[in-house]
Amino acid sequence: MKKRPVIGVTLDAEPAGGWSKLPWYALRQNYLSAVIAAGGLPVALPHHPELAADYLDAIDGLLVTGGAFDVDPALWGGGPPHPKVTLKPGRTDFELAATRTALARDMPVLGICGGQQLLAVAFGGTLIQHIPDEVPGALAHEQPNPRTEPGHEVAVAPGTLLARITGTDRLAVNSAHHQAVATPGAGAVVNARAPDGVVEGIEHPGHRFALGVQWHPEYAVDPRDPVILAAFVEACR
């Protein structure tokens, strides 16, 4: 049996209170189970930017997860934060350091939801701070139905890595975001859009595997979602 590639998975972080009286890390189990099902060996990465290079020495690929927070607009020239913006500076500092180092090493990177937005910032791109304020007639990108169900479809751009992986021009996706990628950054391309034009996927052809998706393929609401994770893990071999 082939050795499983080690996939570094970023964590969410919360201050003291709620589940623990001390500050704590958290991650939905299906991120990890989806990586295992795809053939990878997931390991969690604590938020220490100064150790980003050391962590990357020990892993074969980087998975940047999502969360109910936003990348600081100061990091991409977005001006003051929108009132709906929530920041987690410690988490963002680590994820940006790890992502930039991984890209510099041409290590495979997969960004999911907020991870895609962070990947765009690492590419030098920009974000939409709050979709309802900036996209006329926008869909409900924070879908009212459960995340285990599709919220809408996306059109996959032909000739892209995402199109080659999924073998389709349309995917059903779940949707849990109020921000989106505005510009993908130098050399990066948009590989998927929602019917309202909102960017749903990005990739960088200049890297071996640098892919971001705005939805959550770990839920497998579309039968091709697991193929995305499998392609990422295979690229990490």
Side-chain angles (χ1 to χ4, degrees), residues 12-15 47 67-76 78-93 95 117-118 121 127-129 178-179:
D12 201 7
E14 291 292 340
H47 301 163
F69 77 106
D70 306 294
V71 178
D72 189 341
L75 294 169
W76 51 268
H82 186 281
K84 293 284 189 184
V85 162
T86 301
L87 303 179
K88 289 189 174 180
R91 175 175 177 178
T92 296
D93 290 348
E95 289 184 330
Q117 294 165 17
L118 183 118
V121 172
L127 305 179
I128 292 171
Q129 283 208 46
H178 81 106
Q179 296 205 330

Side-chain angles (χ1 to χ4, degrees), residues 28-179:
R28 232 184 316 103
Q29 287 184 14
N30 62 352
Y31 278 114
L32 304 173
S33 58
V35 168
I36 292 169
L41 184 71
V43 297
L45 304 180
H47 301 163
H48 289 272
E50 74 283 4
L51 296 179
D54 298 274
Y55 286 130
L56 293 178
D57 288 343
I59 65 176
D60 302 304
L62 177 66
L63 172 56
V64 186
T65 62
F69 77 106
D70 306 294
V71 178
D72 189 341
L75 294 169
W76 51 268
H82 186 281
K84 293 284 189 184
V85 162
T86 301
L87 303 179
K88 289 189 174 180
R91 175 175 177 178
T92 296
D93 290 348
F94 171 71
E95 289 184 330
L96 204 50
T99 300
R100 284 174 168 158
T101 306
L103 292 171
R105 295 183 182 190
D106 205 24
M107 176 183 284
V109 179
L110 175 63
I112 291 178
C113 197
Q116 176 197 238
Q117 294 165 17
L118 183 118
L119 186 59
V121 172
F123 289 151
T126 59
L127 305 179
I128 292 171
Q129 283 208 46
H130 190 56
I131 292 169
D133 286 1
E134 297 188 47
V135 181
L139 296 170
H141 285 277
E142 293 186 279
Q143 69 183 51
N145 54 317
R147 303 291 186 253
T148 50
E149 301 171 2
H152 59 80
E153 285 194 330
V154 299
V156 178
T160 58
L161 173 64
L162 182 63
R164 292 195 299 275
I165 289 170
T166 60
T168 187
D169 60 357
R170 299 201 76 76
L171 291 165
V173 302
N174 52 9
S175 194
H177 60 109
H178 81 106
Q179 296 205 330

Side-chain angles (χ1 to χ4, degrees), residues 189-216:
V189 297
V190 174
N191 58 29
R193 287 187 186 271
D196 58 7
V198 165
V199 173
E200 291 280 338
I202 62 170
E203 60 190 59
H204 200 304
H207 292 275
R208 185 154 56 102
F209 191 105
L211 177 69
V213 294
Q214 187 59 71
W215 64 96
H216 286 273

Side-chain angles (χ1 to χ4, degrees), residues 30-31 34-35 38 63 110 112 165 217-219 224-234:
N30 62 352
Y31 278 114
V35 168
L63 172 56
L110 175 63
I112 291 178
I165 289 170
E218 71 277 12
Y219 281 93
R224 284 150 298 204
D225 277 335
V227 181
I228 296 170
L229 286 148
F232 165 60
V233 170
E234 188 58 36

